[in-house]
Amino acid sequence: MSRMGDVLAGLHAAWEFESDSVLIRFERGIRTPKLFQALGERRIPLEAIAGVTLTPGKRGTVVLRAEPRPGADPLMEAADGQLKEACDPYRLVLPAERETLAEYYADELRGQLTQQGPAERFLVDAPEVPRAFKAYDAKASFDGRAVSFRWFWTGASSAKWKAGDQTFPVADLSGVEWRSPEVFEGHLRLLRRTDSSVTPVDQDPASVVFGLGYGPVHESLPFAAAVLAAVRRSSGGSAVVGVNSGRRDPADVAERIRHLGELHEAGLVTDEEFSVKKAELLAEL
């Protein structure tokens, strides 16, 4: 391995190589992705890394990337492949003239990797608690023991308002479902051990809805990761990362297609987005 304390600085981040880990320190500059600024720094144990790649980047750059093992990092598990490339915390973008140096560090890292396949437990620390963010219909908060939703009368549906503010102890949860606010129908849904029903997120008291300016990635994703890690600790190592599943009520699908059409007519959804999302909704029937 390279000498302990060696640092490779790139765009928005610097990697410090330790004997058993890589310490990633993110910049706090105005151009740095907000998710990186929110994370601050992360220590990635070598046992959490499955591989290392070095590929050409855009506009005269190269990209060094550590590939996390499935199940090793609660942040990446919660993200479930939805992060944009520029917000991937495992990428380090470097000027092309530093390719030789980057290849040296890539080779050094590869020589130290001994673990493959899914990790049995989280190896990377989850974001610290307490955490909170504002969704469109509620303020969500997490203190490490329970998740609370406090509804906004201006955004919450009548079903949520009628149900009242909600508190969910970690012990009652089986996992979490995070859908990026940068796509249509972004939301955070808590998966409960005693309820496997599929309810539309705007009607589900265990869900909060994102929207323009609400539930941004740099706030809601670390929140979801912290909850997921706490659930796994509470359940002795197992937790579910939610995936939208099950068949919806046809009336609900029709209502959502109508709403999607209104967004399309208003110019808030492109022709392509409208076609893709409409097909997804019809497939759920």
Side-chain angles (χ1 to χ4, degrees):
M1 186 63 179
S2 53
R3 295 185 304 276
M4 183 181 296
D6 279 4
V7 176
L8 183 61
L11 182 64
H12 304 318
W15 289 12
E16 182 174 340
F17 299 91
E18 304 286 351
S19 60
D20 60 353
S21 63
V22 178
L23 177 61
I24 302 177
R25 301 181 187 275
F26 298 105
E27 294 180 354
R28 297 189 178 277
I30 191 172
R31 296 183 179 180
T32 301
K34 289 184 177 180
L35 177 60
F36 292 178
Q37 296 184 52
L39 294 174
E41 68 178 41
R42 312 190 79 214
R43 185 174 298 278
I44 313 299
L46 296 185
E47 62 178 329
I49 301 174
V52 183
T53 61
L54 182 65
T55 58
K58 300 177 180 178
R59 296 185 291 275
T61 63
V62 293
V63 179
L64 179 64
R65 185 176 191 271
E67 300 175 351
R69 292 172 60 197
D73 184 346
L75 186 83
M76 301 305 285
E77 291 299 297
D80 196 25
Q82 298 176 73
L83 282 179
K84 292 182 177 179
E85 190 176 73
C87 290
D88 182 349
Y90 284 83
R91 295 173 78 250
L92 182 66
V93 181
L94 300 151
E97 57 266 25
R98 306 192 72 186
E99 181 175 4
T100 300
L101 182 61
E103 184 62 58
Y104 165 75
Y105 282 109
D107 286 341
E108 289 286 300
L109 274 176
R110 293 187 190 108
Q112 294 294 313
L113 303 182
T114 59
Q115 302 293 327
Q116 295 291 326
E120 295 181 357
R121 60 184 177 85
F122 288 141
L123 302 170
V124 181
D125 289 341
E128 295 182 353
V129 295
R131 308 203 70 87
F133 71 90
K134 287 185 178 180
Y136 174 72
D137 54 0
K139 178 180 180 180
S141 58
F142 178 52
D143 62 4
R145 299 181 300 276
V147 180
S148 298
F149 296 154
R150 300 290 179 260
W151 307 120
F152 298 144
W153 70 271
T154 53
S157 65
S158 57
K160 290 182 177 180
W161 195 252
K162 183 177 180 180
D165 292 342
Q166 300 289 305
T167 297
F168 302 90
V170 166
D172 292 346
L173 304 178
S174 63
V176 63
E177 174 184 286
W178 180 80
R179 183 168 175 81
S180 174
E182 297 177 344
V183 299
F184 185 67
E185 290 194 328
H187 64 264
L188 175 82
R189 187 199 299 269
L190 302 176
L191 306 180
R192 292 167 286 180
R193 298 183 186 280
T194 58
D195 185 2
S196 59
S197 62
V198 179
T199 304
V201 293
D202 60 339
Q203 303 296 311
D204 184 1
S207 303
V208 293
V209 178
F210 301 153
L212 294 177
Y214 294 95
V217 171
H218 70 282
E219 294 180 354
S220 62
L221 178 57
F223 185 104
V227 174
L228 184 62
V231 170
R232 179 165 293 189
R233 288 193 299 270
S234 174
S235 59
S238 62
V240 177
V241 178
V243 178
N244 292 325
S245 60
R247 294 189 177 277
R248 286 182 171 172
D249 185 328
D252 174 59
V253 172
E255 174 61 22
R256 288 176 178 275
I257 291 177
R258 182 192 65 76
H259 178 59
L260 182 64
E262 292 177 349
L263 295 175
H264 181 233
E265 292 179 1
L268 299 176
V269 174
T270 66
D271 292 343
E272 181 180 2
E273 290 171 335
F274 174 76
S275 299
V276 170
K277 187 57 187 178
K278 182 179 178 181
E280 289 179 359
L281 290 170
L282 290 173
E284 293 181 9
L285 290 173

